[in-house]
Amino acid sequence: KFLKNIKMNLKKDGVFFIEVPNCEYKPMLENSIKKNPHLFHFTKKSLSKLVENLGYKILTCDAFRPATKSEGMKQKILKNSFPYYPRIMTDVHSGRDLRIILRNS
């Protein structure tokens, strides 16, 4: 219902993003069930299917993890080493969060 309401109120070709726990990453799934309960548990595939069924166009859907201390030092020294710092893009089995960027079509 929330995503339908966003779609109705978003301009045609409007863009927005959603970030949710990545439940393909086992520690996040366990945390999402036991410590910080969520009503829904998404994988990249399930989140993509949900928004596509509502008529959104997916611009990107990526997994992210927090930066390490050494990556933070590299970012300070070299500037712009990581485009999404303080998050680092990674694979779905290592990423704590899923971020999907959508366009209203």
Side-chain angles (χ1 to χ4, degrees):
K1 188 173 179 176
F2 172 77
L3 292 174
K4 286 181 183 179
N5 287 338
I6 294 290
K7 186 163 180 54
M8 288 184 340
N9 290 293
L10 191 64
K11 289 182 182 180
K12 182 152 174 69
D13 290 330
V15 175
F16 81 106
F17 80 91
I18 301 166
E19 192 166 290
V20 297
N22 173 21
C23 290
E24 282 180 82
Y25 178 54
K26 300 288 185 207
M28 183 53 75
L29 176 59
E30 188 172 306
N31 181 56
S32 186
I33 292 170
K34 294 180 180 176
K35 294 181 184 173
N36 296 306
H38 285 75
L39 294 175
F40 301 100
H41 299 93
F42 293 104
T43 63
K44 187 174 180 176
K45 183 178 178 179
S46 68
L47 183 59
S48 296
K49 189 171 186 133
L50 173 68
V51 297
E52 286 175 334
N53 287 342
L54 292 170
Y56 287 102
K57 179 181 180 194
I58 298 172
L59 301 179
T60 64
C61 184
D62 299 298
F64 291 87
R65 63 170 175 78
T68 63
K69 286 183 182 182
S70 63
E71 289 166 335
M73 290 182 354
K74 181 179 178 184
Q75 178 73 11
K76 281 184 178 183
I77 294 167
L78 300 177
K79 304 286 183 213
N80 301 320
S81 297
F82 305 103
Y84 303 104
Y85 185 82
R87 304 225 173 144
I88 307 297
M89 193 181 309
T90 189
D91 65 275
V92 294
H93 301 291
S94 303
R96 184 184 74 183
D97 305 300
L98 285 177
R99 180 184 300 161
I100 190 165
I101 302 176
L102 306 168
R103 174 166 282 143
N104 192 11
S105 52

